[in-house]
Amino acid sequence: MLFLQHSVFNPYCYMKTEEIMSYLEAKYPGEKEYHQAVREVLESVEETYNSHPEFEKNKIVERMVEPDRIFTFRVTWVDDSGEVRHNTGYRIQFNSAIGPYKGGIRFHKAVTPSMLKFLGFEQTFKNALTTLPMGGAKGGSDFDPVGKSDAEIMRFCQAFMLELWQCIGPDQDIPAGDVGCGGREIGYMYGMYKKLAREYNTGVLTGKGSTWGGSILRPEATGFGALYFTSHLLARAGQDIKGRKVCISGFGNVAWGACKKATELGAKVVAISGPDGVCEIPGGINGEMIDYMLVMRASNRNKVQDMADKFPSECKFTAGRKAWSVPCDIALPCAFQNELAEEDARELKKNGCWCCCEVSNMGCQPGAIRFFQNNGILFAPGKAVNAGGVATSGLEMTQNATHISWSAREVDEKLHFIMESIHEQCVKFGIRKDGSVDYVKGANIAGFMKVAQAMLEQGLV
Ligand code: 2IT
């Protein structure tokens, strides 16, 4: 109604997703992931946005889709054979409307500005959902950790920080880990930061070791938070996770936390997967196998087959297949963007799956999301489901700033509360006439409105 009135009185004064997309596609050709992430948000918020003429007057959306600034730098390092190597490093400070820049560092051979712009954009709304004052950022490099020795990882991380340190600071921009960058890499980067900056403030990075400023439960937080969110989503739909079969893609830090909490809540994780194929675990993953995921990650081999080799009587490895081919109730993509295609969504449904909570950032392709939503499969997007990771980074920042350390119980309680609040925000903004919830719309509108309002209140900067 408001939208109609507004468009009648100001026929040219409202945001159209297609116009902004055409502009961005022409200006940044080929940046596919970035276009995909922006389109999803704009489509979700268009109607709400257009009922706020003050947003359009201040060009909020046009400003919000552009990063505040992008740092690009060369990273030179030497491999174990003495050969000189170089990569490209980036830090994208996307939006600081609600707090200092915050977001992870991704080390992966496919890293491009487009990938980091999509991640920084998503991070801005995700961070807004956490209820904590954090702006959005992302960084990384096209460095490929696969097959690298520990010494090579250290030399690369040090060389990366040699440039990055000038862009960051505990009240300015606080990186953390992401794909290919875990506790070990944060440690090497933190050591180098102190050396360069002569600053011993622990708050400059999150995901640190628990004896040197890291929060207890930060490693588990993304996976744990995802399962807390899933539990709320299921409860609202009159369901329970206990006894359910769960398929999880990936075997890194996020998949590890998800396996641990899903198992603890009584679900049966019947598959994990990697770039090489899928590991079926008919009896459900157990504690020993979950611990072994950490060994697999530290090995830098990037092969899920290692699980089947280690536990041959419990696991069956099949090369070239995805986790989505294994029958389950609940699918939890925990690996990489666009890892779940429409054909995977169809196969999941055919095999009895009725819920998909996206844990990886933009893990599902738009066609897959449409298929889930049109076929009555419960679906929630990564920026809501996986926000427990960055939320716990926010809790780490609070502990660092006040020089205290909370117990696991305290952190877990706060994480629970935050995930419940994110779920509530999704319901509030995403509830449909029939009482069901469009979690994509809910998460996007809730995050967007908070950032938009803050930008408006802070003037034209
Ligand atoms: O995608 C993400 O939210 C992260 N990689 C975590 C970021 C953070 O600052 O903890």
Side-chain angles (χ1 to χ4, degrees):
M1 193 61 203
L2 271 171
F3 167 66
L4 281 178
Q5 276 179 3
H6 176 56
S7 55
V8 167
F9 293 119
N10 299 289
Y12 303 110
C13 185
Y14 56 92
M15 182 268 273
K16 290 198 203 83
T17 298
E18 288 314 323
E19 276 175 15
I20 295 184
M21 289 317 303
S22 309
Y23 168 78
L24 288 178
E25 282 158 16
K27 186 168 178 190
Y28 304 111
E31 296 195 352
K32 288 209 171 62
E33 298 101 334
Y34 168 61
H35 301 156
Q36 183 185 337
V38 172
R39 175 180 286 280
E40 185 204 284
V41 171
L42 296 194
E43 282 176 351
S44 291
V45 304
E46 188 170 309
E47 202 180 332
T48 310
Y49 188 88
N50 285 329
S51 64
H52 289 266
E54 70 280 16
F55 287 170
E56 186 55 32
K57 188 162 169 279
N58 287 277
K59 296 225 166 31
I60 294 290
V61 81
E62 289 87 341
R63 289 158 58 205
M64 202 190 279
V65 298
E66 297 272 3
D68 287 357
R69 64 190 68 81
I70 303 181
F71 298 102
T72 307
F73 44 89
R74 193 189 64 247
V75 183
T76 307
W77 55 285
V78 181
D79 72 16
D80 286 347
S81 69
E83 193 182 323
V84 176
R85 305 278 200 112
H86 58 94
N87 292 93
T88 309
Y90 307 92
R91 184 69 179 167
I92 301 193
Q93 296 179 336
F94 217 102
N95 189 295
S96 65
I98 66 168
Y101 301 106
K102 181 83 196 89
I105 297 275
R106 177 171 289 193
F107 293 147
H108 189 280
K109 61 178 189 297
V111 162
T112 57
S114 168
M115 194 191 291
L116 298 180
K117 277 166 77 178
F118 118 63
L119 288 162
F121 183 73
E122 291 265 303
Q123 197 78 44
T124 301
F125 304 108
K126 181 197 308 191
N127 293 4
L129 289 172
T130 64
T131 73
L132 305 173
M134 298 183 288
K138 206 82 191 191
S141 172
D142 56 2
F143 171 74
D144 182 5
V146 176
K148 300 293 186 296
S149 71
D150 188 68
E152 288 174 327
I153 298 276
M154 182 178 77
R155 288 197 294 274
F156 175 79
C157 288
Q158 291 176 337
F160 184 80
M161 188 51 87
L162 209 50
E163 282 286 338
L164 184 70
W165 77 278
Q166 309 214 45
C167 315
I168 62 174
D171 296 313
Q172 185 184 350
D173 182 351
I174 305 94
D178 192 79
V179 173
C181 179
R184 169 181 54 180
E185 290 75 11
I186 293 292
Y188 293 147
M189 287 197 279
Y190 182 62
M192 194 63 173
Y193 176 85
K194 284 193 297 183
K195 196 92 182 156
L196 292 162
R198 302 262 167 138
E199 247 184 43
Y200 305 93
N201 190 315
T202 51
V204 70
L205 292 167
T206 61
K208 300 178 295 294
S210 61
T211 57
W212 40 279
S215 177
I216 295 176
L217 280 191
R218 175 63 188 88
E220 291 86 349
T222 311
F224 279 23
L227 267 297
Y228 297 155
F229 187 96
T230 305
S231 302
H232 284 292
L233 175 142
L234 293 180
R236 196 181 181 281
Q239 301 282 356
D240 186 359
I241 197 164
K242 221 177 157 105
R244 300 300 187 184
K245 285 186 184 160
V246 178
C247 281
I248 290 183
S249 61
F251 55 90
N253 166 262
V254 174
W256 167 76
C259 283
K260 209 168 165 174
K261 188 52 82 177
T263 307
E264 212 177 290
L265 294 175
K268 211 161 129 178
V269 178
V270 292
I272 58 169
S273 65
D276 51 333
V278 66
C279 234
E280 280 178 73
I281 316 163
I285 202 163
N286 62 36
E288 217 188 324
M289 294 157 98
I290 294 171
D291 289 346
Y292 193 64
M293 289 168 84
L294 298 176
V295 178
M296 286 159 65
R297 146 86 179 109
S299 77
N300 283 346
R301 282 170 48 79
N302 210 20
K303 286 197 181 352
V304 81
Q305 185 175 0
D306 291 354
M307 182 67 87
D309 290 347
K310 175 85 178 167
F311 300 94
S313 52
E314 289 100 332
C315 297
K316 184 175 145 248
F317 173 74
T318 311
R321 266 177 55 206
K322 294 186 183 180
W324 320 130
S325 61
V326 177
C328 66
D329 299 291
I330 299 166
L332 300 178
C334 291
F336 211 60
Q337 74 262 6
N338 290 326
E339 56 172 304
L340 199 154
E342 186 177 337
E343 72 224 41
D344 299 319
R346 288 178 189 275
E347 189 168 12
L348 278 166
K349 181 174 161 55
K350 200 179 73 201
N351 288 336
C353 171
W354 47 268
C355 173
C356 173
C357 284
E358 184 184 66
V359 194
S360 41
N361 290 310
M362 210 165 78
C364 296
Q365 296 181 15
I369 298 176
R370 262 194 308 276
F371 181 82
F372 287 141
Q373 292 185 325
N374 293 338
N375 286 276
I377 294 175
L378 292 165
F379 175 79
K383 64 171 78 68
V385 179
N386 75 28
V390 71
T392 307
S393 276
L395 300 177
E396 184 168 326
M397 287 163 67
T398 303
Q399 292 169 78
N400 293 158
T402 50
H403 304 284
I404 55 171
S405 179
W406 290 327
S407 67
R409 188 179 53 77
E410 283 171 294
V411 177
D412 201 34
E413 262 171 22
K414 289 180 171 55
L415 175 61
H416 258 288
F417 178 79
I418 289 169
M419 296 316 294
E420 186 178 1
S421 151
I422 295 172
H423 182 262
E424 275 169 16
Q425 294 175 67
C426 290
V427 173
K428 180 177 166 196
F429 289 97
I431 193 151
R432 299 185 184 104
K433 286 204 182 71
D434 67 0
S436 66
V437 179
D438 181 341
Y439 283 91
V440 175
K441 204 165 174 178
N444 284 333
I445 297 178
F448 184 92
M449 289 304 280
K450 189 168 167 185
V451 178
Q453 202 58 42
M455 285 177 72
L456 195 66
E457 287 166 16
Q458 290 169 31
L460 298 175
V461 288

